Amino acid sequence: MKLFKYLQYIFVLTVLSISIIVLYLWNIQQDLPDHNISQYFPNEITKIYDEKYELMYHVGNRDRFYLDYEDIPETMINAIISAEDKTFFQHQGFDVKGIMNAFIINIKNIYSKNNNNYVGASTITQQLVKNILLNRDQTISRKIKELILSLRIEQEYTKEFIIELYLNEIYFGRRSYGVASASFNYFNKSIFDLEIHEYAYLAALPKGPNNYDPKKNYDRALERRNYVLKQMELNEFISSDQFNFYSNLDIELYEKNNKKYKSDYKTDFILNYLNENSFNENAFYIQSTIDQTLQKISEKSLLDNLALFERKYRKWSGSYKNLQEILKFKNDHWHIAKVISKNQNKTKLSIINSDEIIILNNENNLYGPEKISPETYLSIDDYIFVTNVNNFFYAAQLHEINGSVIIMDPFNGNIVSMVGGVNYEISNFNRVTQAYRQPGSSIKPFIYAHALETKKFLPNTLILDSNILLDQGNNLPVWVPKNYSNKSYGELTFRRALETSNNLVTLKIGLDLGLNSVNKFLDKINFYNKKIKSDVYSTLLGAVENNLLNLAASYSIFLNGGYIVEPSIIKKVVSNEGELIFNNEYFKCNYCAFSIDDRSYRIPMIEPQKEKVISPQTSFQILNILEGAIERGTGKSLNKIDYPIAGKTGTTNESKDLWFFGLTPRYVIGVYVGYDVPKPIGFKETGSSVALPIFKTIIENYLLYNKNTNDKFILPSDLIIKKVNKDNGEISDGQNTIIDYFTKEQLEILDNFNKIESIGGIN
C-alpha cells in the first residue's frame, strides 16, 4: 500500500509539473515576437564618400554594409562556423551534443586555468534570434523563447539565408555591424581581399570584441585567433601547413582615424541637400564630388594665411596653461606644442604626443602692431598652436577673423572643395553658402562681359577715367564716386580698366549700358540672391549681396564658354538595396542610343544641358583680360607662378569684405574673408592683400600635387589675334604692345570706325 501511495504522489507531482511546464510554455509562446525574418533588413547608415569612393562621413552610430550570401567569401563562412557553430549546417536550431561538449570543455578550462577560450553553447540561429528578435536578458524565459524561435526559423528559412543575416547583423566592435564593415574598419581592406588569418580574427570577435582587442590584450587576442584557425583545421577547411603558417603571423590592425568621419561644413551641406530633396527616409551611399587632397590644401591655406595676417593687428592671447583646455580646439592642420626653452633669437617647443622638438625663429614670429617677440609673449610650459608653412614653424592662435573657400569645376558645377570657415567646432555657420556679403569689385567682369555682348565696347575701346557726379534721387546727396587710389588716370583702354579694377571707367560703362540692361544681364547669370534686383548706381561697384558659392558659379561662365552651371556636391545617390536613385548628369547625348536594327546611323552629339548666357568668344575675351590682371594688374603678385591663371579681386567700402576669384584651366577658386559681424578688416586692406594670398597658397600646393603642367585655357574658334598698344589701344606692331583677341565682327566695327575717323567724321 505504501508503494502504491508513493506512486500516486509521484504521478500527481509529474502531472502537476508537466501542467505547470505546459502552462509556462504556453504563456511564453503567447509573448513571442513574430518570427518572420524574411522582411528584416538591418538598419544601415548613410555613408558619404569622396569622388574616389574614400569614406568621408557616417550618418548614424552603426557602420554596416549588407552582403548577400553569394557575395560572402567562403573562407569567412568557414571561419565563423568553426568559431561559433561547427554543426550549423546539420542541426535544426539547437545542438544538444554541442551543449554537452561546451559544458565539459568550459569546466576543464576553468579548472586548468591554462585556457581562456570558453566555448559557447548557442547556435548561430540562436544568436541571430537573440540579436534581432529578443533582448540580451540572462533569464531562463528568454533562453526558452530563443530556443522556440530558433526551431521555427530553421523550419521556414534556409541555412544560407540565416547565416547571411547573421554575418550582416552581428557586432564585431569598432562600430562595425556585419563582416563587410568589420573588414574595412579592422584591416582597411575589402572583405574579398582578406587572408585566412584575417578571416579567423574577424570570426573570433563576436564572442566579445572588447576582450580580443590586441591593444588591450595582445596575447589573448592572438590565442583566440589561433583557436579559430585550429578549429578550421579540425573541420578540414584549411590544411595543417596553412594552420602552422597563419598561426605564426602577427595580428596587424589598421589604425583607423575616426576624426575624419566627423561632420564638417561639406558634410552638413550634403545632408541638408538630401533633406531638402526628400532623401531622408532611408540609408544611402552617396558619392560626393569632393577631392580630399584639395580639401585639405584649402583648409590649411585658409587657416594659415588668416593666422599670419592677423599678426598685423592682434595682440597675442593664444597661450594655454592647461593641456586639456587647448585640446578642445585642436584641428587637423596645426600642432599643439609646449614651450620648453627660449632666448633672444629662438624658442624651443616639443610637439605633444610626439618626440619631435621644433624651433620658432623669433624674428619670424613677431606679434601685433608693436611686433612683440615670442621671448616676451610666451612663457615656459605654455601650450600653444604651431603651424608649419614652407618648413618654417609659426605660433598661431584661434582666429577672430573668418573666411571661406570654394573650388568648383566650371564645366559641370562639381564642388571639389568647400571650406565654410576656420573652425567648424566653434561655429558650423557655413560662410560659403550662408554668408551673404557685397562682392565689391568682383562684380566688374560681368559688367564688362555684358558690354562686349552688346557690341557697344571692344577690348581696345578708349574710355576717359574722370570724375562724375551722380544724382541718387530725392532727399539723397549727390554721389561722387572715386577710384580706390583717389586718382584719375586719363584715357584707359577697356582692357586696362578691368585689369586695374578702375571704378570710374566701370561706372561709365555701366551707365552707358543702362542700369536696367545691366540688371537683366546679372539676373540672367543668377548673380542676384533670390532675384532681388537693384536699381541704384552703386550696384555697378558691387553694392549687392550674394554668397561665395553663387559668385563662383557665375565666374564659371568665363571658363566654360559662357554656360551657367548649377553647383553640385553629389555625383550619385544609391539606396541600400543598390538602386541608383540620383545621378547628376551635366551632359546629354543625342543619338547615343541605337541598335543594329536601326535603318540609319547618326553621329552622337554631346551637349551641355545648361543655358548659354554669353558667347564663347566673349567668355574667352574676359578670361584673357583677367589673365592680364594677373600679369600687370591687381593680381600681379601671382605672375611668377608658371601656370595659366586669371583672376579678379574684390574689395568693399572700408575693407569689410574681401574677395579673390582665381580661374585656372580646371577650376574656379573663390576666396572670401571677413568678420562674421562685419567691420573693417584693416587699414587699406584689399582682396589683393588678404584673399589673394590664400588662393596663392592653394594653387602652389595644387601644382605640387598635380604634375600636369600642360593645362591651357580653351581658345574658341572665330577669335583673331592682334597686337595692341596697351596704352592707346591701337592695333600695331610697334613697341609697348600686348596680345589681344577680337572677333571678325569686332574688327569690322573697328575698321569702319577708323574709316569714319580718317575722313573727319568724328571730332
Side-chain angles (χ1 to χ4, degrees):
M1 290 296 293
K2 288 184 178 180
L3 178 62
F4 180 74
K5 284 186 178 181
Y6 286 140
L7 289 175
Q8 278 186 315
Y9 290 144
I10 291 172
F11 176 76
V12 171
L13 288 173
T14 301
V15 171
L16 184 61
S17 298
I18 292 173
S19 300
I20 292 171
I21 291 171
V22 169
L23 286 172
Y24 179 71
L25 292 176
W26 176 260
N27 288 329
I28 285 180
Q29 185 170 274
Q30 296 300 307
D31 195 34
L32 285 177
D34 186 357
H35 68 281
N36 180 7
I37 60 173
S38 61
Q39 300 301 315
Y40 177 80
F41 195 86
N43 290 327
E44 294 190 73
I45 62 175
T46 293
K47 298 182 179 180
I48 301 174
Y49 299 86
D50 67 13
E51 63 167 359
K52 296 178 181 176
Y53 297 99
E54 176 84 14
L55 186 63
M56 293 197 313
Y57 183 57
H58 294 176
V59 186
N61 295 322
R62 295 188 172 191
D63 183 5
R64 191 196 314 274
F65 188 95
Y66 196 90
L67 292 174
D68 293 330
Y69 178 80
E70 295 79 11
D71 296 326
I72 301 171
E74 184 179 6
T75 306
M76 184 68 243
I77 293 173
N78 292 340
I80 201 72
I81 288 173
S82 298
E84 297 292 329
D85 187 1
K86 68 178 182 179
T87 62
F88 171 73
F89 283 101
Q90 286 78 47
H91 65 64
Q92 297 301 311
F94 69 99
D95 183 7
V96 175
K97 184 178 178 181
I99 293 172
M100 295 304 298
N101 285 338
F103 179 77
I104 294 170
I105 291 171
N106 290 336
I107 291 295
K108 288 181 178 179
N109 288 343
I110 290 170
Y111 280 98
S112 69
K113 298 181 180 180
N114 293 323
N115 194 331
N116 292 319
N117 285 298
Y118 298 108
V119 180
S122 294
T123 65
I124 283 176
T125 311
Q126 288 175 284
Q127 292 180 51
L128 179 65
V129 167
K130 178 174 64 177
N131 273 276
I132 68 176
L133 297 179
L134 299 173
N135 56 42
R136 294 178 175 272
D137 292 345
Q138 299 295 321
T139 61
I140 294 175
S141 63
R142 198 272 297 163
K143 198 67 180 176
I144 293 173
K145 290 178 183 179
E146 178 185 295
L147 182 61
I148 295 171
L149 289 170
S150 297
L151 289 169
R152 291 180 179 179
I153 286 173
E154 288 274 357
Q155 290 174 357
E156 295 190 30
Y157 299 99
T158 66
K159 291 286 188 176
E160 289 78 10
F161 180 71
I162 292 170
I163 200 167
E164 170 191 314
L165 209 53
Y166 175 82
L167 284 173
N168 282 288
E169 168 63 29
I170 204 74
Y171 180 59
F172 286 85
R174 288 198 178 189
R175 293 181 59 196
S176 306
Y177 289 79
V179 289
S181 62
S183 174
F184 173 77
N185 291 336
Y186 279 97
F187 299 108
N188 199 29
K189 293 181 183 179
S190 164
I191 185 69
F192 310 109
D193 297 330
L194 298 184
E195 297 185 50
I196 290 174
H197 63 293
E198 293 168 331
Y199 288 118
Y201 178 75
L202 292 185
L205 291 171
K207 191 68 67 180
N210 197 49
N211 297 331
Y212 306 116
D213 183 345
K215 276 191 171 182
K216 296 178 180 177
N217 193 328
Y218 183 86
D219 291 339
R220 190 176 187 184
L222 186 66
E223 184 182 12
R224 175 68 181 169
R225 193 235 15 217
N226 288 348
Y227 165 80
V228 177
L229 285 170
K230 187 62 180 178
Q231 295 303 307
M232 293 177 73
E233 180 197 5
L234 294 174
N235 294 332
E236 299 183 350
F237 294 135
I238 61 174
S239 67
S240 296
D241 289 341
Q242 285 176 312
F243 169 75
N244 292 331
F245 175 76
Y246 288 114
S247 62
N248 283 298
L249 295 180
D250 294 334
I251 299 176
E252 296 180 356
L253 302 184
Y254 166 61
E255 292 301 320
K256 182 179 176 184
N257 179 10
N258 284 314
K259 288 192 300 182
K260 74 177 183 178
Y261 303 128
K262 290 184 178 179
S263 60
D264 57 17
Y265 298 107
K266 61 184 184 298
T267 56
D268 278 0
F269 185 68
I270 292 170
L271 294 175
N272 287 338
Y273 177 88
L274 293 176
N275 290 333
E276 290 170 3
N277 290 274
S278 301
F279 290 117
N280 55 352
E281 296 179 0
N282 298 297
F284 300 101
Y285 305 100
I286 301 159
Q287 184 193 10
S288 75
T289 58
I290 295 295
D291 181 320
Q292 293 268 52
T293 302
L294 278 175
Q295 178 70 26
K296 291 174 183 175
I297 288 172
S298 302
E299 290 171 357
K300 183 167 172 56
S301 299
L302 181 70
L303 291 174
D304 287 351
N305 278 281
L306 290 185
L308 295 179
F309 166 75
E310 281 196 300
R311 298 189 308 174
K312 292 170 63 176
Y313 299 100
R314 286 182 64 193
K315 293 182 179 180
W316 176 260
S317 59
S319 296
Y320 297 81
K321 300 300 181 184
N322 186 301
L323 178 59
Q324 296 306 314
E325 188 178 356
I326 193 172
L327 283 171
K328 297 176 184 177
F329 307 108
K330 187 177 181 181
N331 67 61
D332 294 335
H333 303 287
W334 290 356
H335 302 286
I336 295 176
K338 184 178 182 179
V339 179
I340 55 178
S341 69
K342 59 178 183 172
N343 59 38
Q344 183 177 346
N345 299 315
K346 63 184 181 182
T347 302
K348 186 181 293 187
L349 305 98
S350 63
I351 303 293
I352 66 164
N353 299 325
S354 169
D355 296 329
E356 184 179 3
I357 303 297
I358 63 170
I359 302 297
L360 293 184
N361 182 308
N362 288 355
E363 189 65 28
N364 291 342
N365 282 275
L366 304 179
Y367 227 99
E370 298 176 354
K371 299 188 183 301
I372 306 299
S373 169
E375 185 187 14
T376 301
Y377 65 75
L378 293 181
S379 301
I380 302 298
D381 293 336
D382 277 355
Y383 292 96
I384 67 167
F385 290 112
V386 292
T387 184
N388 187 332
V389 179
N390 297 326
N391 296 319
F392 288 95
F393 284 98
Y394 296 87
Q397 62 179 331
L398 296 178
H399 307 79
E400 289 182 353
I401 200 169
N402 224 307
S404 53
V405 174
I406 187 77
I407 304 181
M408 183 186 297
D409 186 328
F411 301 98
N412 55 23
N414 284 348
I415 297 168
V416 297
S417 174
M418 173 184 282
V419 187
V422 295
N423 195 313
Y424 177 84
E425 301 298 326
I426 293 175
S427 168
N428 58 20
F429 179 77
N430 191 335
R431 292 150 193 88
V432 172
T433 61
Q434 295 175 291
Y436 285 84
R437 300 289 187 267
Q438 293 187 4
S441 303
S442 53
I443 197 175
K444 291 174 182 174
F446 304 101
I447 296 171
Y448 282 69
H450 183 45
L452 290 179
E453 285 285 286
T454 62
K455 301 179 178 61
K456 289 186 175 184
F457 294 86
L458 309 178
N460 63 338
T461 299
L462 278 174
I463 306 151
L464 182 62
D465 172 20
S466 60
N467 290 331
I468 53 178
L469 304 177
L470 295 172
D471 183 3
Q472 301 185 90
N474 295 333
N475 301 320
L476 292 173
V478 173
W479 183 33
V480 185
K482 299 287 184 182
N483 288 322
Y484 182 77
S485 64
N486 282 326
K487 298 178 182 178
S488 296
Y489 298 91
E491 285 190 327
L492 294 175
T493 63
F494 180 93
R495 164 186 279 276
R496 186 62 181 158
L498 181 52
E499 287 180 353
T500 58
S501 195
N502 187 284
N503 287 343
L504 296 176
V505 171
T506 302
L507 282 168
K508 288 188 174 183
I509 292 172
L511 292 171
D512 190 89
L513 296 171
L515 276 177
N516 187 50
S517 176
V518 171
N519 273 321
K520 285 182 179 178
F521 177 73
L522 294 176
D523 185 40
K524 184 179 180 181
I525 64 172
N526 298 329
F527 190 86
Y528 285 119
N529 168 32
K530 300 177 182 178
K531 306 295 183 182
I532 298 174
K533 303 174 183 63
S534 176
D535 57 358
V536 296
Y537 297 124
S538 56
T539 299
L540 301 172
L541 297 182
V544 292
E545 290 187 347
N546 212 330
N547 64 33
L548 183 62
L549 181 65
N550 293 338
L551 292 175
S554 296
Y555 264 90
S556 294
I557 68 175
F558 303 129
L559 286 167
N560 63 24
Y563 290 92
I564 284 292
V565 295
E566 183 176 342
S568 174
I569 200 168
I570 295 176
K571 279 187 177 180
K572 294 178 182 178
V573 178
V574 178
S575 71
N576 53 20
E577 290 85 10
E579 179 186 1
L580 179 64
I581 57 177
F582 175 79
N583 192 13
N584 185 27
E585 296 289 351
Y586 176 73
F587 295 98
K588 69 176 180 180
C589 186
N590 295 322
Y591 318 123
C592 285
F594 62 91
S595 71
I596 58 174
D597 298 324
D598 290 344
R599 297 181 60 186
S600 62
Y601 170 77
R602 301 183 70 174
I603 297 175
M605 298 175 61
I606 298 176
E607 298 177 355
Q609 299 194 78
K610 305 300 181 182
E611 177 190 1
K612 182 185 284 187
V613 291
I614 58 175
S615 70
Q617 290 74 29
T618 295
S619 169
F620 185 83
Q621 285 175 317
I622 295 297
L623 179 66
N624 184 251
I625 293 173
L626 296 180
E627 275 192 279
I630 301 301
E631 292 174 19
R632 53 190 166 267
T634 55
K636 59 187 177 184
S637 61
L638 297 170
N639 62 16
K640 291 183 180 180
I641 297 176
D642 186 20
Y643 189 70
I645 299 173
K648 183 69 188 77
T649 57
T651 305
T652 62
N653 285 340
E654 299 182 314
S655 300
K656 291 182 179 180
D657 300 296
L658 304 178
W659 311 77
F660 184 77
F661 292 91
L663 311 179
T664 76
R666 296 188 179 213
Y667 301 116
V668 53
I669 302 175
V671 178
Y672 163 75
V673 176
Y675 289 99
D676 287 344
V677 178
K679 66 179 182 178
I681 290 170
F683 178 70
K684 289 290 184 178
E685 298 293 355
T686 64
S688 180
S689 66
V690 182
L692 183 148
I694 299 169
F695 168 85
K696 184 178 181 181
T697 305
I698 292 171
I699 202 66
E700 287 174 340
N701 282 279
Y702 166 73
L703 292 175
L704 292 175
Y705 147 67
N706 176 46
K707 301 299 183 181
N708 184 3
T709 57
N710 296 320
D711 293 344
K712 295 180 180 178
F713 291 124
I714 299 171
L715 177 64
S717 60
D718 302 327
L719 279 179
I720 301 166
I721 298 175
K722 293 289 183 180
K723 287 185 177 180
V724 176
N725 184 291
K726 68 177 184 179
D727 293 327
N728 60 29
E730 291 181 0
I731 295 177
S732 165
D733 288 329
Q735 300 293 318
N736 203 29
T737 60
I738 58 173
I739 296 296
D740 216 335
Y741 296 84
F742 297 86
T743 65
K744 182 179 179 182
E745 185 179 8
Q746 287 173 335
L747 289 176
E748 289 173 353
I749 293 171
L750 193 58
D751 285 342
N752 290 332
F753 178 84
N754 289 335
K755 287 176 183 178
I756 294 172
E757 187 178 39
S758 66
I759 62 174
I762 295 180
N763 294 321

